[in-house]
Every structure is written in structure tokens, then in C-alpha cells.
Amino acid sequence: MRINILPKDVADKIAAGEVIERPVSVVKELVENAIDAGSTDITVEITGGGKESIRVSDNGIGIEKDDVEKAFLRHATSKISKTEDLRNLITLGFRGEALSSIAAVSRLELITKTEDEKTGQRIVLHGGEKLTFESIGCPRGTTIIVRDLFYNLPARLKFMKTESSESGQIIDMVSRLAITRTDIRFKLISNGKTVFSTIGNNDLKAAILSVYKDREYKELIPCELKRKGLEIYGYISRPSFSRANKRSQYFFVNGRTVKSSVIEKGLSLGYKERLFEGRSPIAFLFVEIDPNDVDVNIHPNKKEVKFDNDIEVISLVQDAVIDALNKKDAVSTSQDIYVKAEESVSSYKGSPGKASFNNEVSSSKDNNSKAPNVIFEKGEQVGIRDFLKQETREKKTLSPSNEIIEELGNPDIVATGVLPFDFDDLTFGETIFNTYITATDEENFYLFDQHAAHERINYEKFISAYTNSEKNSQILLLPITIDVPVELIDDENWVGILTKMGFSLELFGENSFILREIPEFMEISEAEDFVNTFVDEYHEGNPLGNRVVIDKLITKACKSSIKAHDKITNEEINALISQLKACGNPYSCPHGRPTFIKFRLYDIERMFKRVQG
Ligand code: ADP
Ligand code: MG
């Protein structure tokens, strides 16, 4: 491959600017060059967070002797020669100035050899000035060592962060590359210690485990969907395994790590109602899209991708997630609870007083005594205002996905070989502790939380009561008086919304209404509570025609459900389960707690030491 010097106009079109800002930018450029060179083995070694030294070695094609010096000229690249190439660029690095920029601000050494050449070359440059250029014996490939970055630019040096901050950025970047290119063996070493190494066997899950090391990531489930030339694949967590932040969400578009509020939106819509408030899933999601339908990201530092059609991407991600979570494999398992306990050791360290939820599940050796028994953090109730803000934002980027699906035609779901969860496979047994209904199928034991299940059923009833035009109301023998702030007396709006939900209200005196009818499935006290909350929220200026707010209120009001310790009869159990089965989302209560948990036979046998693992 010959290296050409780019014509000035081409060079200028490329948003070159500040290529090298900090150690991580050096590592990024060098590793991308190594990838472009067809390497199957790349080792990155840093000391002092990359401020002292960065070394990247590869087994790629190498640089021919005649091209070695040229590679350090500004706008030297073997990868493009004219403007049109930019749009179709498949290689990662393309600005043709990384090597020259890095060389200009460091003490750089490059050793390289091509397959055909007998000897390799070594070149040393300090501040861009060539000190040495000589032949040297070395294997095929290229090694570049960058020492004392910005030694000649004190202004830049000042902006370097601490060693751990700089190395953190490098580790994050190389980690993302390593799981993007699962065909390449990556090794990352920091101050002599191996941070991770991958096998390069094209196994994404294996790569994720090697890089991120979290044992719990073994429990991630596949998520795949393809339609109309748009494809998504990757791994996500079961609803029972979540985090308090979004830091464990990794998105990639056409092999590049990206930030994307669009993918994030699709992901959270896919988990809607499946997660406890304030919890976020873990996700490694890769989107493949026609490069013409996405902004070719020329500027190196602008990571947020721009899709031509946000809605299409959101609905693809959402549907892929929903589909994955409906698989039998996605049912919350006891295993996740151990995992959760371990996670809480690291991530809740600073907050020992966090409320815990009823979760005393039998422990195993995995569940060491240090681990607090937290499954779900009792999420802060998010204020209605926050919800509204969120909703307004959603409105801008999103419309309901059903229409889109019609437009796009039937999704061809990629077969993952995993069965959907089916209630009909279950045999129900005794109820234990007057709370948990037991069930089994061939490979699992289940506990259904009767309260959570009932909440889910009530919730869906309410939602459909609200969305259906036909209302089933019950007339109250003793009407309830509801006090209303004077400002609301002449406002018909809120009365209209409540009427739509199956309430019937009449003006009564100066500042009150009489509640005559309530939705059929609500208890009287619950209905009274609901209407009072509703009026308060409305009075505070929260527009309640909004579905999210309604959801929120319903969740709050949804208290008529069987309490955990109410004894229920067999008939009631059967009715409960068959109603749960009919729910749109039978897996979690409206607050995001699981309605049932699976104990895999395999895990049970492990606890009894019948199997190794
Ligand atoms: P670009 O990558 O945009 O072409 P760089 O300044 O990063 O520009 O690199 C200049 C040239 O040096 C590349 O086009 C490539 O030919 C050569 N080069 C750089 N690193 C390597 C490497 N690790 N292996 C082989 N060739 C390399
Ligand atoms: Mg490059």
C-alpha cells in the first residue's frame, strides 16, 4: 500500500482540528491504525495513565521502508485520496494526521516491518524532529511507543488529569474497541498489570466477560432483531438485574462506540414497567445501519450519533428488548438476586442506609455475608414534574411505535433458539407464607408474589378502563364529598379526565364535588384517595391528560390489591394466575418489582453440590 499526500482541499474538508487532546486520543489513533492494518493481535501498554508512555504493538501489515518517513507528514494517509471517499469510508482512522500530530508533541519511536521485507525499520522522532532512522530486526507488524506526551507543550500538559482519570479513559476506550472487534485479540496492560485480554474468537459474550469481568454478566440475555436493513444485536440484563445508573449501557453503531439518546430511549421503552423506578438495565447493543442513514461522524470528539430516522431506530431497539424479555430465559431468577447482592457491595458502598425490599432469599456460598440483601433499591418517587419533563422530551422524538410497526411490516425475528415464557407449562402448588404461590415446570421452580401479581392485574384493568371508551362504574350508596380549591370549580378539564376514567362527579356547594360513581374495580377508600391526589396534582399545575401522569397516579392509588399476607383460596389463586397470564406484561408489578421469580433446577442442584459450577 502506498501512502499519498492529500491535496489541500481534501485535507481542509476534514475536520482535523484538535486530534490529540490527551493520552486517550493517542491510544485511540494508534489502535485504530493497528486495526486498519489488518492486525489480529493488538497489545496496548501504558504507564502513568499514558502520560509517561503509551505503547501499541500489532501484527498488521506494517509500513514499507519507503513509506515510514512519509507516514509522519501532515495529511499523509494510505486510506483516502479524494473527497468522495470520505462518505464511504470504512476504515476507522482517516484524517491522515494522527501520526504527525502525535510525533509533534511527544518522543515517539516506531518499529515496523512488512511481510515481504527482510528487515524492519526503526524511526525515532522528538517533537516531530527525526533523530534516528535505521534498519532493525523485528517481526511483522508495527510497534509505536509514545513517551512524554506534551513534553514540549506545557500549556497542554497543565490540562492533563490525574493518572487514574487518564488511565480510566484509556481503559474504557480500549474496552469498547475490544468488544466491538471480537475478531481481534486485545491485551491491555497498565503499569505492568494486565487489565484484560480477549481471545479474539468472535464470541461477543466471551469478550464482554473478559473485558468487564463482572461475573454477573454471565446472566445477560441475547437481544436481536433485524428488519428493513436495520439490525440490532447484543446482550441485555434481565429485569431482575439492574443498576442505579446508566453507566453499564454501551451502544455501538456500525462498529463505532457512540452516545445515543435514541438507542437509550428504545432501551428504556423496552423495559418500561419491567424495572423498579430509578433502575436501569445493563446493555451492550450494536446497531448496524446503512451508512447513508446515519451521520458519518467526521469530528472525532462528537460521539452522539444522528440517525436520519430516530423513530425507526427507537422502535427497533424497543421491540428487540421486549422480545428478548419475553423469552423464558428472561424471567427473573434467584441467581440474579445473588448477583444483585454482590453488586450492591461495590455500588452502594457509600450508602449503607439504603432501604431494602423484602428479599430474604436463601443464601448460598456466593452470597457472602458482607453483601447487603438488596434486590431493588426502593426508588425515590420521581416527582410528577420530572415525569412531565421527561414526557415532553419524549413527545419530541417519539410517537407510538405500533404505527411504525405497521409501516415497516412484520419484523422477522432472528431465531435465538430460546422459547417464549408460557404460563401453560406451569404446574401450581401450595402457597407459602400466605404470600407466595409456588409453581414448577420441567426445569424450574417458581414463586409468584400474590400481591405484586394482583397489583399488575389491577393496574392493567385501570389502564384499559382509561383507554377504552366503555366504562364500568359502580354507583356509591353513600356519595363521597371531595373538597376542591375554588380555582378548580369552574374548570371542566379535570372533571372530564376523571369522567373518562369511570368516575362521576357533581358540583356540590361552594368548593366541593360529590363523587357518585367510581371505576368498578376500585375500592371506595382507594377511589377517594385517587381523586384527592388527582385534584392536588392538577391544582399544582400538572396537566393530567397526560398518560404518564395517569400511570403514576394509578400506581399510587393501586392499593386495593391483595396484601402479602392475605390468605387466598385455590379458586382465587387460579383466577389470579389466569388474569396475570392475560396481562400485557405479566412479569412485573407497576412499580417494576417482579411478579414471579424463577429458581433454576440447575442453581438448586448447585446449592446442594449435586453439580459443579
Ligand atoms: P491515517 O490513519 O488517517 O491514514 P495516520 O497519521 O494515523 O493517518 O497514519 C498515517 C499512515 O501511516 C496510515 O495511512 C498508514 O499507512 C500508516 N500506518 C500508521 N499506523 C500503522 C500501523 N499500525 N500499521 C501499518 N500502517 C500504519
Ligand atoms: Mg490513523
Side-chain angles (χ1 to χ4, degrees):
M1 183 182 324
R2 301 296 297 183
I3 297 180
N4 309 306
I5 307 296
L6 284 182
K8 192 172 182 315
D9 63 330
V10 178
D12 288 348
K13 281 208 177 64
I14 305 171
E18 306 278 86
V19 185
I20 304 305
E21 278 188 339
R22 45 188 354 105
V24 68
S25 1
V26 173
V27 177
K28 179 169 186 285
E29 294 295 339
L30 297 183
V31 174
E32 287 180 350
N33 280 347
I35 293 174
D36 287 349
S39 313
T40 55
D41 215 317
I42 299 173
T43 300
V44 178
E45 198 172 347
I46 56 169
T47 61
K51 292 188 278 188
E52 270 167 46
S53 75
I54 293 165
R55 176 197 188 102
V56 176
S57 356
D58 67 52
N59 64 347
I61 55 172
I63 306 173
E64 283 172 28
K65 181 179 180 183
D66 290 351
D67 283 340
V68 170
E69 284 177 281
K70 259 199 211 168
F72 290 96
L73 295 174
R74 211 166 139 75
H75 304 311
T77 179
S78 55
K79 295 165 197 170
I80 35 171
S81 51
K82 50 186 200 313
T83 319
E84 293 82 81
D85 288 345
L86 278 176
R87 184 81 182 169
N88 306 318
L89 211 64
I90 47 153
T91 51
L92 292 164
F94 55 82
R95 290 172 301 276
E97 61 174 294
L99 278 191
S100 65
S101 310
I102 298 167
V105 295
S106 69
R107 302 186 221 272
L108 185 146
E109 178 178 350
L110 177 143
I111 296 163
T112 187
K113 190 179 99 61
T114 61
E115 183 75 53
D116 301 336
E117 286 168 321
K118 286 207 176 61
T119 60
Q121 308 301 322
R122 172 175 179 265
I123 188 168
V124 179
L125 301 100
H126 283 189
E129 295 295 316
K130 180 176 73 184
L131 295 191
T132 314
F133 186 27
E134 61 189 7
S135 292
I136 191 176
C138 63
R140 172 196 143 143
T142 304
T143 293
I144 299 184
I145 307 159
V146 174
R147 295 190 181 88
D148 306 327
L149 185 65
F150 300 134
Y151 77 100
N152 53 357
L153 267 184
R156 278 290 179 81
L157 207 50
K158 269 214 306 259
F159 286 107
M160 293 296 100
K161 303 223 171 85
T162 58
E163 171 174 346
S164 65
S165 160
E166 297 293 350
S167 66
Q169 293 184 34
I170 293 170
I171 292 167
D172 180 50
M173 201 272 302
V174 183
S175 298
R176 288 167 190 266
L177 277 172
I179 63 163
T180 320
R181 293 299 301 260
T182 53
D183 54 332
I184 298 175
R185 289 153 56 98
F186 278 94
K187 185 168 193 171
L188 176 60
I189 300 164
S190 176
N191 293 338
K193 286 203 192 93
T194 299
V195 180
F196 68 78
S197 61
T198 61
I199 317 171
N201 63 350
N202 276 315
D203 180 339
L204 175 58
K205 183 107 170 244
I208 292 172
L209 286 168
S210 310
V211 171
Y212 294 96
K213 302 230 177 51
D214 293 275
R215 215 177 55 90
E216 66 252 37
Y217 284 6
K218 270 198 285 209
E219 299 291 334
L220 295 178
I221 56 171
C223 173
E224 297 169 319
L225 187 62
K226 209 190 235 180
R227 71 180 165 218
K228 293 261 165 100
L230 198 57
E231 182 182 0
I232 182 169
Y233 63 91
Y235 287 88
I236 57 175
S237 54
R238 294 193 188 98
S240 46
F241 170 26
S242 62
R243 300 230 198 261
N245 57 56
K246 295 188 159 76
R247 279 200 293 270
S248 303
Q249 297 180 355
Y250 301 85
F251 305 139
F252 304 85
V253 171
N254 294 346
R256 278 183 189 236
T257 176
V258 295
K259 286 195 194 119
S260 171
S261 51
V262 169
I263 301 176
E264 193 182 304
K265 168 98 322 187
L267 180 67
S268 68
L269 285 174
Y271 277 89
K272 193 168 183 302
E273 291 173 23
R274 299 292 298 270
L275 285 179
F276 204 57
E277 255 180 36
R279 303 296 298 181
S280 299
I282 290 140
F284 295 89
L285 291 178
F286 296 76
V287 173
E288 298 293 330
I289 185 170
D290 184 330
N292 292 311
D293 298 338
V294 65
D295 188 355
V296 182
N297 206 342
I298 284 179
H299 196 284
N301 300 322
K302 208 179 78 190
K303 279 202 206 149
E304 173 87 31
V305 271
K306 271 202 63 62
F307 297 104
D308 288 356
N309 188 340
D310 286 353
I311 290 169
E312 216 168 288
V313 176
I314 290 171
S315 88
L316 179 85
V317 177
Q318 177 181 8
D319 293 342
V321 170
I322 289 173
D323 183 48
L325 298 183
N326 282 337
K327 294 272 155 57
K328 196 168 180 177
D329 213 31
V331 171
S332 308
T333 68
S334 58
Q335 194 60 28
D336 296 335
I337 290 151
Y338 306 140
V339 154
K340 199 72 222 164
E342 277 172 25
E343 186 219 342
S344 30
V345 175
S346 51
S347 59
Y348 301 140
K349 248 186 278 177
S351 46
K354 279 275 148 68
S356 66
F357 188 62
N358 54 324
N359 51 21
E360 311 291 75
V361 175
S362 64
S363 58
S364 75
K365 70 175 166 60
D366 303 332
N367 192 359
N368 64 48
S369 53
K370 279 184 298 178
N373 274 326
V374 176
I375 309 180
F376 295 102
E377 214 177 313
K378 221 171 202 154
E380 284 283 298
Q381 295 279 313
V382 175
I384 293 240
R385 250 172 246 283
D386 293 335
F387 258 94
L388 290 173
K389 266 189 237 143
Q390 196 183 327
E391 174 78 353
T392 334
R393 256 184 270 125
E394 275 169 23
K395 283 275 156 56
K396 283 189 196 133
T397 49
L398 175 74
S399 71
S401 80
N402 284 353
E403 296 142 40
I404 302 152
I405 292 168
E406 271 161 34
E407 195 183 294
L408 296 174
N410 271 339
D412 30 315
I413 293 162
V414 179
T416 52
V418 190
L419 294 171
F421 181 78
D422 189 348
F423 277 80
D424 292 340
D425 293 341
L426 303 180
T427 310
F428 285 88
E430 297 289 305
T431 300
I432 57 172
F433 307 124
N434 287 335
T435 303
Y436 302 106
I437 304 162
T438 61
T440 49
D441 64 15
E442 280 187 4
E443 292 169 341
N444 309 286
F445 170 71
Y446 298 85
L447 287 177
F448 283 69
D449 179 328
Q450 63 184 35
H451 174 68
H454 199 202
E455 266 195 0
R456 159 56 56 185
I457 294 162
N458 279 345
Y459 174 71
E460 293 206 3
K461 272 191 199 158
F462 203 128
I463 291 289
S464 70
Y466 177 63
T467 32
N468 285 348
S469 46
E470 197 184 306
K471 295 289 175 287
N472 292 318
S473 303
Q474 45 177 325
I475 298 170
L476 298 178
L477 285 178
L478 293 172
I480 298 166
T481 311
I482 306 280
D483 290 337
V484 172
V486 264
E487 303 93 284
L488 296 192
I489 293 294
D490 292 331
D491 185 342
E492 281 162 16
N493 214 352
W494 65 273
V495 182
I497 299 168
L498 285 173
T499 308
K500 258 173 91 186
M501 283 187 242
F503 293 93
S504 154
L505 292 130
E506 270 168 37
L507 188 58
F508 182 71
E510 291 274 286
N511 59 346
S512 48
F513 273 75
I514 282 202
L515 186 55
R516 293 203 181 277
E517 290 177 34
I518 63 171
E520 192 183 48
F521 58 90
M522 271 195 168
E523 276 179 14
I524 298 170
S525 62
E526 175 193 8
E528 184 177 358
D529 241 30
F530 181 87
V531 173
N532 279 320
T533 318
F534 187 94
V535 168
D536 286 350
E537 297 287 351
Y538 187 85
H539 188 223
E540 278 173 31
N542 302 320
L544 291 162
N546 179 313
R547 168 72 192 266
V548 175
V549 178
I550 302 294
D551 280 7
K552 185 71 193 152
L553 292 172
I554 290 163
T555 304
K556 269 190 193 167
C558 206
K559 284 174 184 158
S560 68
S561 315
I562 317 165
K563 294 294 171 290
H565 294 283
D566 292 347
K567 193 164 172 60
I568 57 174
T569 64
N570 278 348
E571 289 79 68
E572 284 172 322
I573 292 174
N574 290 341
L576 189 77
I577 297 298
S578 68
Q579 289 179 58
L580 183 65
K581 180 186 159 187
C583 282
N585 166 17
Y587 304 100
S588 59
C589 86
H591 311 92
R593 294 192 291 265
T595 45
F596 58 101
I597 287 180
K598 177 171 81 178
F599 295 73
R600 287 177 297 208
L601 176 58
Y602 172 79
D603 293 322
I604 295 172
E605 294 194 328
R606 250 173 30 137
M607 287 186 244
F608 283 108
K609 307 274 183 268
R610 283 168 166 265
V611 292
Q612 296 297 314

